[in-house]
Amino acid sequence: MSETQYSTVLVGTGFASSFFLAKHLTHAKASDRILVLERGARDSHKWQVEHRAASSTPVHPTFRKEGDPSKDWVFTLGFGGGSNCWWACTPRMLPNDFRMHSLYGVGRDWPVSYDELEPWYQTAEEMMAIAGPNDGSPYPRSKPYVQPAHKLSDPDKILKRAYPNHVFSQPTARASKPMRGRGMCCANGVCTVCPANAKFTIDNGLRHIYADPRVTVRLGASVESLEYAGNTVNGVRFSEAGNSQRVSADLVVLGANAIFNPLIMMRSGLADPLLGKRLHEQLSVLVDVDLDGVDNFQGSTVITSLSYMFYDGDHRRERAACMIEGWNKPTLMRPENGKWRQSARYKLIFEDLPDDGNCVKLDPSSPNRPILYFKGHSDYAHRSIDVLESQIVSKFLRALPVERIYYNKAIASTEAHIIGTTVMGNSAKDSVIDRGLAHHHLRNLLVLGSGAFPTCSPANPSLTISALSLWAASRLSSSTT
Ligand SMILES: Cc1cc2nc3c(=O)[nH]c(=O)nc-3n(C[C@H](O)[C@H](O)[C@H](O)COP(=O)(O)OP(=O)(O)OC[C@H]3O[C@@H](n4cnc5c(N)ncnc54)[C@H](O)[C@@H]3O)c2cc1C
Ligand code: SF4
């Protein structure tokens, strides 16, 4: 092989790329050469803690917003991508989330089922050493969690007694005991940079894959476009220190997130009907509660519980599912003497339905800088916000002794999840990639990440992104062996 010829070129070093690479290396040949192109820098955990920053690589101005001015999109550039800044909440999606259209007549079905993904959820959870409940689960599991569940707070325990099948300790990659060089989570709630190195990151959990002799990592290498002939990608163009470079590979894998994957594809002249479309994410509102005589904050991590009673069911024909996080962040205490621990915060997270009109667009006058157009969340999601007090919070809080409820009806500007711009499906007519995450037309191009998701569900996406990458890499190995 020449210096510019590789067996695989992988773009990005976040969850999508790293879980793919971890599995890919298990079946790659000793002679294979894998090039990883990462546009950002590699900042150590020490650097991040000292600078209170997840990365030294600036995010702005890498995109421009149009449409709803209150909508934000957040992510981290640099080695490890969003694993540096994430809060490590790792619920799986529910089996019914994969069948929204068949069951509820809205959204789309995924071309992959929960049962097909289950072994890869399990593997991803083992790789991240997830702490989670082994005394019940909202979804079927083939094996127990690796780490014991985090301790619930007293209000969580009251809710759990009232709704035993709907309230669970939150599965999380924030360690409940020291493991694999990670510290134990101490519930201080500054997870964007974890001083205890307790949450899983690519750096503390998968660093070894980037030290594999078959792998070369080039930092500061920003991929711009792909070259192709017929149904094969034959070149990857990137810029490094201001110089334009080209490499070629038998397999090209994009893991640059749901903004930059479609941008690279659009800059390459690809024009799949849904490319860049269906940009969406979940939406959330906060509800704060003064408790009457019940102390809080006994939990062992920042978010201790997940409640599912308003998640799945027939209401999803009309309005969005809701998943409720119970927060255990000590800064949320009350000021009144004798009552300072008698408060609770709940974050209600709603799914949204994608709309083809919301999209990542190429700006011909500034091709490095995509436009993110978002006109607003769907009526489907708003119908659930409309019944927040009457149908959701009033029923949820019935089990707790409540003194006062504070509704913050402002929808958060972002959930920090970017979803749906390279959607997966069974046909090139209504999707960009197939169920193995391969482009329908360019068969040696894989497009990883949450851009593939046909619908978002209320669940945080990174565990599903990781499971999908493992699944895609495993399918590749079975088709080449
Ligand atoms: C504050 C915050 C908290 C979050 N908390 C959670 C949570 O608790 N649970 C959860 O599930 N999710 C959470 N997320 C979301 C999570 O970070 C993303 O879902 C996840 O990082 C997406 O993984 P990815 O690998 O697809 O993309 P990314 O992690 O964004 O990685 C993309 C990689 O590609 C690189 N790249 C981009 N463009 C190029 C290019 N042109 N050339 C070369 N390289 C490129 C980037 O530098 C980066 O390394 C959170 C996000 C934020 C911002
Ligand atoms: S709560 Fe604190 S210790 Fe736990 S993951 Fe977050 S920052 Fe780290």
Side-chain angles (χ1 to χ4, degrees):
M1 278 186 191
S2 77
E3 267 180 42
T4 57
Q5 172 69 39
Y6 292 86
S7 39
T8 302
V9 169
L10 182 61
V11 182
T13 55
F15 291 93
S17 303
S18 300
F19 281 80
F20 177 86
L21 181 59
K23 179 69 189 162
H24 190 55
L25 284 171
T26 63
H27 59 78
K29 296 197 232 47
S31 58
D32 278 354
R33 293 176 65 211
I34 300 167
L35 176 66
V36 179
L37 298 171
E38 166 53 59
R39 87 187 263 173
R42 186 167 185 168
D43 303 304
S44 66
H45 179 251
K46 183 169 180 284
W47 182 95
Q48 294 178 23
V49 173
E50 280 170 6
H51 292 80
R52 292 300 310 146
S55 170
S56 62
T57 307
V59 159
H60 295 288
T62 58
F63 65 94
R64 188 156 72 76
K65 290 193 310 177
E66 281 182 2
D68 180 355
S70 68
K71 186 78 193 87
D72 285 329
W73 302 98
V74 294
F75 52 90
T76 293
L77 296 174
F79 182 85
S83 77
N84 295 299
C85 65
W86 79 323
W87 280 50
C89 307
T90 53
R92 297 183 181 186
M93 289 171 50
L94 300 190
N96 286 355
D97 293 334
F98 293 81
R99 303 176 58 220
M100 287 294 286
H101 193 262
S102 305
L103 290 172
Y104 304 122
V106 297
R108 289 176 171 216
D109 288 356
W110 287 46
V112 181
S113 70
Y114 178 90
D115 288 347
E116 286 173 311
L117 214 51
E118 202 284 334
W120 305 111
Y121 268 136
Q122 186 63 40
T123 308
E125 286 165 348
E126 286 166 11
M127 290 167 73
M128 294 190 207
I130 302 297
N134 288 324
D135 60 347
S137 167
Y139 32 74
R141 301 181 45 76
S142 53
K143 291 187 198 160
Y145 281 111
V146 177
Q147 288 220 335
H150 273 285
K151 256 173 60 188
L152 294 175
S153 65
D154 284 358
D156 290 333
K157 287 179 188 163
I158 295 172
L159 286 166
K160 175 86 180 154
R161 277 197 294 275
Y163 307 104
N165 299 322
H166 288 109
V167 179
F168 303 95
S169 176
Q170 186 202 49
T172 173
R174 301 181 300 272
S176 61
K177 57 178 193 184
M179 193 184 250
R180 301 179 192 163
R182 284 158 55 190
M184 188 172 99
C185 178
C186 52
N188 56 26
V190 291
C191 311
T192 305
V193 175
C194 172
N197 211 0
K199 67 176 184 181
F200 168 88
T201 64
I202 300 303
D203 183 58
N204 67 26
L206 287 176
R207 186 188 306 161
H208 61 280
I209 61 176
Y210 292 100
D212 188 288
R214 292 165 290 182
V215 177
T216 304
V217 181
R218 282 166 81 164
L219 299 168
S222 184
V223 172
E224 293 175 343
S225 60
L226 312 172
E227 293 173 354
Y228 46 89
N231 64 355
T232 307
V233 177
N234 51 28
V236 177
R237 289 214 166 266
F238 62 100
S239 90
E240 196 178 42
N243 297 316
S244 183
Q245 311 265 3
R246 181 185 186 280
V247 286
S248 50
D250 303 328
L251 175 69
V252 175
V253 184
L254 297 182
N257 91 21
I259 296 173
F260 299 107
N261 282 346
L263 179 72
I264 293 165
M265 294 167 77
M266 286 187 268
R267 289 187 72 179
S268 314
L270 292 171
D272 309 75
L274 277 187
L275 183 60
K277 294 183 179 166
R278 301 170 73 81
L279 171 68
H280 70 293
E281 66 166 337
Q282 302 88 350
L283 55 160
S284 75
V285 292
L286 293 175
V287 174
D288 288 332
V289 180
D290 284 348
L291 297 168
D292 189 1
V294 172
D295 280 351
N296 194 4
F297 309 112
Q298 304 85 352
S300 59
T301 188
V302 59
I303 300 164
T304 39
S305 64
L306 284 184
S307 295
Y308 282 86
M309 58 288 262
F310 307 103
Y311 191 135
D312 197 31
D314 259 356
H315 63 273
R316 289 177 99 178
R317 293 181 183 283
E318 303 296 328
R319 60 179 176 82
C322 173
M323 181 178 79
I324 305 179
E325 288 180 348
W327 281 56
N328 183 62
K329 192 173 170 173
T331 51
L332 303 170
M333 291 179 180
R334 282 170 77 170
E336 300 103 300
N337 207 5
K339 294 191 170 183
W340 56 281
R341 290 175 65 184
Q342 295 179 17
S343 70
R345 167 164 285 182
Y346 297 99
K347 182 175 175 189
L348 285 76
I349 306 171
F350 299 88
E351 66 189 331
D352 201 357
L353 284 182
D355 181 320
D356 289 3
N358 296 324
C359 57
V360 176
K361 294 194 277 190
L362 188 63
D363 181 352
S365 65
S366 181
N368 271 327
R369 201 170 160 222
I371 298 168
L372 307 190
Y373 176 76
F374 191 76
K375 62 186 171 191
H377 293 289
S378 66
D379 291 345
Y380 180 78
H382 278 291
R383 278 198 288 277
S384 274
I385 305 275
D386 290 345
V387 297
L388 181 75
E389 288 184 44
S390 62
Q391 297 292 317
I392 300 177
V393 176
S394 58
K395 293 182 183 169
F396 177 64
L397 291 177
R398 239 178 238 163
L400 283 175
V402 169
E403 201 174 297
R404 195 173 311 150
I405 303 173
Y406 304 90
Y407 290 97
N408 179 354
K409 288 203 184 141
I411 293 171
S413 65
T414 179
E415 284 309 293
H417 307 151
I418 308 158
I419 295 175
T421 53
T422 52
V423 66
M424 69 197 299
N426 292 323
S427 145
K429 286 193 192 120
D430 63 3
S431 58
V432 178
I433 53 177
D434 68 15
R435 68 193 225 109
L437 308 188
H439 187 259
H440 282 301
H441 181 60
L442 299 173
R443 298 305 292 162
N444 65 336
L445 173 65
L446 297 190
V447 188
L448 311 176
S450 47
F453 292 14
T455 50
C456 69
S457 91
N460 317 60
S462 303
L463 180 73
T464 303
I465 291 173
S466 306
L468 272 179
S469 284
L470 294 167
W471 147 270
S474 76
R475 285 173 59 83
L476 211 59
S477 73
S478 50
S479 69
T480 52
T481 50

